[in-house]
Amino acid sequence: DAGVIQSPRHEVTEMGQEVTLRCKPISGHDYLFWYRQTMMRGLELLIYFNNNVPIDDSGMPEDRFSAKMPNASFSTLKIQPSEPRDSAVYFCASRGLAGGPHNEQFFGPGTRLTVL
Amino acid sequence: SQQGEEDPQALSIQEGENATMNCSYKTSINNLQWYRQNSGRGLVHLILIRSNEREKHSGRLRVTLDTSKKSSSLLITASRAADTASYFCATDFNTDKLIFGTGTRLQVFP
């Protein structure tokens, strides 16, 4: 398995532009998590899905952020309009069935977003 | 904040030495996990310890858990330059969410 795939790996955009980050979880995993990592705030959970359904979006900072999971193999995180303070590394992670022996999360390589 | 605190924030050692990093958390937990993050990469799961366990080993890693003190430690024995990374603890309690600590940056000099 290729692991969790994220695209793009790097994104540089100007303030006010729409940004879309993409994630393909590991096949068969039914949980998907979006995180944001900054030096100031560390690793923050933004939202997570179970079986394509958003379960907890309490970490989404503002209405400018939205996330979707149209099917089991694809999710997007959209920022519209983007602001310089959104600059961070965004990670997607997936996890297998709850109740199993391990609930470790598998992380993608991240998307480094720079908003000018 | 529910976020765990890790100590020290940064640690520099020579190859062959042992590295110990600590994690404190605030709420009751089901499990505590440790992850490693190499520079510019995603996090990689290292080891999980359940709330009813006190110690666990995996290769050169040894994890302890003291639920009465709400703390855990990760010991890396006989460190190597390749162990250079940031290390994070993560906890969960009756939820699918993991709460990550602030991380310890480990530098191992050859």
Side-chain angles (χ1 to χ4, degrees), chain A residues 28-60:
Chain A
H29 280 189
D30 59 348
Y31 283 85
L32 184 140
F33 304 82
W34 282 102
Y35 292 90
R36 178 173 68 176
Q37 186 177 38
T38 62
M39 289 294 292
M40 291 296 293
R41 301 177 65 89
L43 195 64
E44 303 173 280
L45 176 66
L46 301 178
I47 184 171
Y48 78 94
F49 296 82
N50 177 219
N51 291 323
N52 312 337
V53 176
I55 302 301
D56 186 340
D57 65 355
S58 60
M60 296 286 261

Side-chain angles (χ1 to χ4, degrees), chain B residues 31 44 73 77 88 94 97 108:
Chain B
N31 306 292
V44 175
S73 67
T77 60
F88 295 86
N94 288 345
K97 299 195 297 188
V108 182

Side-chain angles (χ1 to χ4, degrees), chain B residues 46-109:
Chain B
L46 294 176
I47 192 167
L48 178 151
I49 186 167
R50 302 191 186 283
S51 60
N52 61 356
E53 297 176 310
R54 291 297 167 259
E55 187 170 313
K56 201 162 184 179
H57 297 253
S58 177
R60 294 184 295 113
L61 305 180
R62 174 179 163 244
V63 171
T64 61
L65 179 65
D66 187 334
T67 53
S68 66
K69 295 181 179 178
K70 291 186 169 58
S71 67
S72 174
S73 67
L74 172 67
L75 168 68
I76 304 173
T77 60
S79 63
R80 306 166 181 167
D83 295 328
T84 294
S86 291
Y87 292 82
F88 295 86
C89 66
T91 56
D92 68 77
F93 178 68
N94 288 345
T95 175
D96 298 314
K97 299 195 297 188
L98 289 179
I99 305 299
F100 282 86
T102 51
T104 293
R105 293 188 309 278
L106 173 65
Q107 175 78 53
V108 182
F109 291 99

Side-chain angles (χ1 to χ4, degrees), chain B residues 10-26:
Chain B
L11 179 62
S12 294
I13 59 174
Q14 295 290 132
E15 256 188 334
E17 294 180 338
N18 295 340
T20 300
M21 50 206 88
N22 304 294
C23 166
S24 60
Y25 55 91
K26 298 181 179 180

